[in-house]
Amino acid sequence: MLWRRTAKTVSLDGDIRVVCETHGPECQVWLSGRITIDSSPSLRALLLQRVESEDCQNLTVDFREVPYVDTSGLAVMVEILKAARTRGKTFQLSGLSERPRFLLEATRLLHLFHEVSEMPRVNHPSSENLQ
């Protein structure tokens, strides 16, 4: 079976950039930048769109290039997790760095999320090219 593979780079605002790839039922999102009260609404909309898509059965979000997440970003992740579970889909996190991981641990929410090892960076441009 041949799966459609698509990739799209989006700059949500000055704080965060996103690369989205679809490999059949697998949707992968790489984030780059800070997730704050200013950037979280557009990130929320993008991730909800991905998880609500018929094609996307497994959504994985990579945080490797995210140095900072505030509580509004945490609320977005919880909302996306709930939306995915409601639809019988999986939502996974990858590449959690020190500060985002600490926030999830401090709020005792990390255990709710399935964490995967690093996602392959096939066709993923470096963050310098996402502007």
Side-chain angles (χ1 to χ4, degrees):
M1 170 184 220
L2 293 175
W3 285 334
R4 184 185 65 188
R5 172 186 232 150
T6 59
K8 178 172 68 168
T9 301
V10 178
S11 180
L12 297 178
D13 63 23
D15 287 336
I16 191 152
R17 289 162 310 282
V18 179
V19 175
C20 300
E21 280 191 12
T22 302
H23 310 270
E26 303 293 325
C27 298
Q28 299 173 331
V29 175
W30 286 269
L31 303 177
S32 176
R34 298 167 47 91
I35 302 174
T36 65
I37 188 83
D38 296 321
S39 61
S40 61
S42 53
L43 178 62
R44 175 189 174 273
L46 183 134
L47 292 177
L48 274 176
Q49 180 183 25
R50 304 296 292 179
V51 82
E52 290 172 352
S53 167
E54 291 289 324
D55 297 336
C56 181
Q57 294 301 309
N58 307 303
L59 177 60
T60 305
V61 177
D62 185 272
F63 280 79
R64 188 173 347 157
E65 295 180 18
V66 176
Y68 177 82
V69 177
D70 69 12
T71 54
S72 67
L74 182 61
V76 168
M77 294 304 121
V78 171
E79 183 177 357
I80 300 304
L81 176 64
K82 183 177 177 181
R85 288 184 176 174
T86 298
R87 290 165 178 76
K89 300 179 179 187
T90 60
F91 176 59
Q92 307 170 120
L93 304 179
S94 175
L96 286 171
S97 61
E98 185 177 321
R99 284 184 162 183
R101 176 179 295 285
F102 176 76
L103 180 60
L104 285 165
E105 288 173 347
T107 56
R108 298 185 181 187
L109 295 173
L110 183 60
H111 74 279
L112 296 176
F113 295 91
H114 181 71
E115 192 173 355
V116 296
S117 60
E118 291 187 29
M119 296 187 312
R121 296 180 73 116
V122 177
N123 293 332
H124 180 255
S126 67
S127 61
E128 296 86 39
N129 296 330
L130 298 179
Q131 301 177 11

